[in-house]
Amino acid sequence: GNSVTQMEGPVTLSEEAFLTINCTYTATGYPSLFWYVQYPGEGLQLLLKATKADDKGSNKGFEATYRKETTSFHLEKGSVQVSDSAVYFCALSGYNTDKLIFGTGTRLQVFP
Amino acid sequence: DAGVIQSPRHEVTEMGQEVTLRCKPISGHNSLFWYRQTMMRGLELLIYFNNNVPIDDSGMPEDRFSAKMPNASFSTLKIQPSEPRDSAVYFCASRTAGDGQYFGPGTRLTVT
């Protein structure tokens, strides 16, 4: 079945450091891929998405590229801020389904 | 757009009481999802609707849980009777075809 695997957290960085959060997936067909962010005490927010191979999703300085050859969708940001501290979830939506399969989430902590 | 609206934001109740959580999806979205989030189990999909019809309720824990969607702009999740192990944050999300899911702010339920 479909599944998503994320790197274990927490990821701890200093402000302005480069961020990578790894995400790999297993799916049949051609899933759509998503990154969600959850700030403390809030719901999940859709951060970015990609719907086909080689698509790059981007938003608020974050980027992720849909790599079918490596079944990956790693999240990157060139310079993190303290305000980026949150939990990040990778997710996929299989072909012809409304359901999202979430990874377990990766906590990011950014210190000044 | 107001986004997904959930009420109440916080609910504290005693074991054995009935609890009703409410959700108003984003206008025009035709799929609605109910999730539960806890530290132990993470994010779990309870049930989802497509065009007001329940499609998959395999995540509903037991008969104490029920969900309805009487029209395109309103859904309820009811727990009767409630138990302490039901304490969690309950999220509602909605989507339209081809897009990601958009989450509400959640209802934090505490059952004492």
Side-chain angles (χ1 to χ4, degrees), chain B residues 25-37:
Chain B
I26 293 172
S27 177
H29 284 193
N30 61 345
S31 297
L32 183 140
F33 305 79
W34 282 101
Y35 291 88
R36 177 171 69 178
Q37 187 177 41

Side-chain angles (χ1 to χ4, degrees), chain A residues 36 38 44 49 98-99, chain B residues 37 56 95 99 101 103:
Chain A
Y36 282 81
Q38 186 177 28
L44 280 71
K49 68 178 182 180
D98 295 306
K99 292 172 67 170
Chain B
Q37 187 177 41
D56 184 347
R95 78 182 283 263
D99 202 357
Q101 294 179 20
F103 283 71

Side-chain angles (χ1 to χ4, degrees), chain B residues 13-16 41 64 81-88 90 109-112:
Chain B
T13 190
E14 292 183 346
M15 183 174 62
R41 295 187 298 269
R64 296 185 298 107
S82 58
E83 297 182 2
R85 61 192 167 122
D86 301 330
S87 297
Y90 291 81
L109 174 65
T110 303
V111 183
T112 61

